[in-house]
Amino acid sequence: MNLLNYMEQHPHPIKLPNNPNYHVRWNEALKGFEINLENGKLLYIENFLQKKNTTKNQILNYFLKNDSHEWQTSNWKEMSTQEFSQIKFKNIAWKHEKIKLYGKELYVPRYSAWYGDEGKSYTYSCLTINPNRWNEGLLQLKKKIEEVVNTNFNSVLLNWYRDGEDYMGWHSDDEKELGLNPIIASVNFGASRRFLLRRKDDEKIKVEIPLKHNTLLVMKGELQHFWKHAVPKEAKVKEHRVNLTFRVIKN
């Protein structure tokens, strides 16, 4: 197969710098794209779960179902922290966490939850979170990701973006608990959001990847040491998004 036919059969939506050191290769076995960056590698699979029950509402219902509020119609952005803390979610123990930023305590612009093996705590932005016990749904998803990534993960951070105004600022997953060159697998359900990367030593060098519903993105190699990533605000996005980043805590 010549290069033109190959690219026609496997087009990708990834925006890379115009540089030969940045390139994309289709992996037929994994049905995904391997992305090579300077000082980092990514794996991007657009249609990760190959089952019928993977529609947005079916999967989001698993993560957001609770005993008192309709997750699709409730005004989550106007809900007080006290009211939210009283809601009993069926599968995920969501919280509205506070972090310290420039000496001030602020609520993060999203809800979150931390699950993992016993003792696998995680610290970021002066916030230490202890893991909830794995449930069957998370374990099943973890197993499927481990089969692709060939890594045994012991924890997962879940983030619930209520709409496009919720976001993730520029950062690197380089906490000491993650060790050298961590492998982080990020799976996305619900609204499609832009995922941006930029080099730490030259912020003009950027990569953009659309994280759609049922997309798996794996970050590996030296990426966390040389790059930052973010999920910026998108005012036009009105749908919910749940993102899970599976990690290996080494403490």
Side-chain angles (χ1 to χ4, degrees):
M1 181 185 298
N2 63 42
L3 180 60
L4 180 60
N5 290 338
Y6 177 86
M7 294 305 294
E8 287 177 346
Q9 289 190 22
H10 304 293
H12 67 80
I14 303 155
K15 296 180 181 178
L16 296 174
N18 186 18
N19 183 315
N21 292 327
Y22 296 80
H23 54 83
V24 180
R25 185 178 73 88
W26 174 254
N27 185 315
E28 180 65 27
L30 297 178
K31 303 298 181 183
F33 296 99
E34 294 177 334
I35 307 167
N36 188 76
L37 312 178
E38 287 186 323
N39 307 111
K41 296 181 182 297
L42 300 164
L43 172 65
Y44 176 74
I45 300 176
E46 282 190 299
N47 190 24
F48 176 57
L49 297 178
Q50 302 289 329
K51 288 186 176 182
K52 294 181 180 179
N53 59 339
T54 57
T55 65
K56 290 182 183 180
N57 281 350
Q58 287 172 317
I59 291 185
L60 289 178
N61 188 62
Y62 174 82
F63 290 111
L64 307 182
K65 189 174 183 180
N66 62 85
D67 67 344
S68 57
H69 288 66
E70 172 54 55
W71 65 266
Q72 292 173 288
T73 58
S74 294
N75 190 347
W76 298 102
K77 300 303 287 288
E78 298 299 325
M79 187 177 298
S80 69
T81 302
Q82 181 179 3
E83 181 183 357
F84 181 78
S85 66
Q86 294 173 352
I87 299 174
K88 295 181 180 179
F89 287 89
K90 181 177 180 181
N91 297 307
I92 303 298
W94 294 107
K95 291 184 177 181
H96 202 184
E97 299 282 11
K98 275 186 176 180
I99 60 172
K100 283 188 177 180
L101 191 64
Y102 304 115
K104 297 181 179 180
E105 277 196 338
L106 302 170
Y107 283 106
V108 298
R110 57 196 175 274
Y111 296 138
S112 61
W114 179 253
Y115 283 76
D117 295 353
E118 185 177 353
K120 299 304 180 184
S121 300
Y122 186 52
T123 300
Y124 67 97
S125 299
C126 299
L127 171 69
T128 297
I129 47 179
N130 298 312
N132 296 289
R133 291 184 178 181
W134 293 104
N135 62 39
E136 187 59 32
L138 292 176
L139 286 174
Q140 290 180 10
L141 185 57
K142 182 171 85 81
K143 181 180 179 181
K144 289 183 180 297
I145 293 174
E146 289 174 340
E147 291 171 354
V148 172
V149 185
N150 195 29
T151 296
N152 294 321
F153 296 104
N154 60 24
S155 54
V156 61
L157 177 64
L158 296 91
N159 281 299
W160 169 8
Y161 298 76
R162 296 160 290 184
D163 58 24
E165 293 295 328
D166 281 356
Y167 67 96
M168 179 76 75
W170 288 106
H171 71 286
S172 298
D173 296 323
D174 55 2
E175 292 81 9
K176 62 181 182 179
E177 299 101 310
L178 299 176
L180 181 67
N181 298 338
I183 296 176
I184 298 175
S186 171
V187 63
N188 305 271
F189 300 113
S192 178
R193 296 291 295 268
R194 298 167 63 213
F195 182 81
L196 307 179
L197 299 106
R198 71 183 186 195
R199 283 194 65 91
K200 294 181 179 180
D201 57 0
D202 188 348
E203 295 184 355
K204 295 180 181 179
I205 299 177
K206 293 183 179 180
V207 174
E208 180 172 338
I209 302 171
L211 294 185
K212 307 173 185 178
H213 171 68
N214 197 23
T215 293
L216 175 67
L217 180 72
V218 182
M219 299 180 283
K220 52 188 176 179
E222 300 177 307
L223 189 136
Q224 303 301 332
H225 303 293
F226 290 88
W227 294 80
K228 290 186 176 183
H229 54 274
V231 178
K233 289 184 178 181
E234 294 183 74
K236 293 182 179 180
V237 176
K238 303 302 179 183
E239 293 180 292
H240 297 271
R241 170 182 181 249
V242 172
N243 170 261
L244 301 89
T245 49
F246 288 84
R247 305 151 188 256
V248 180
I249 299 295
K250 298 181 179 293
N251 61 328

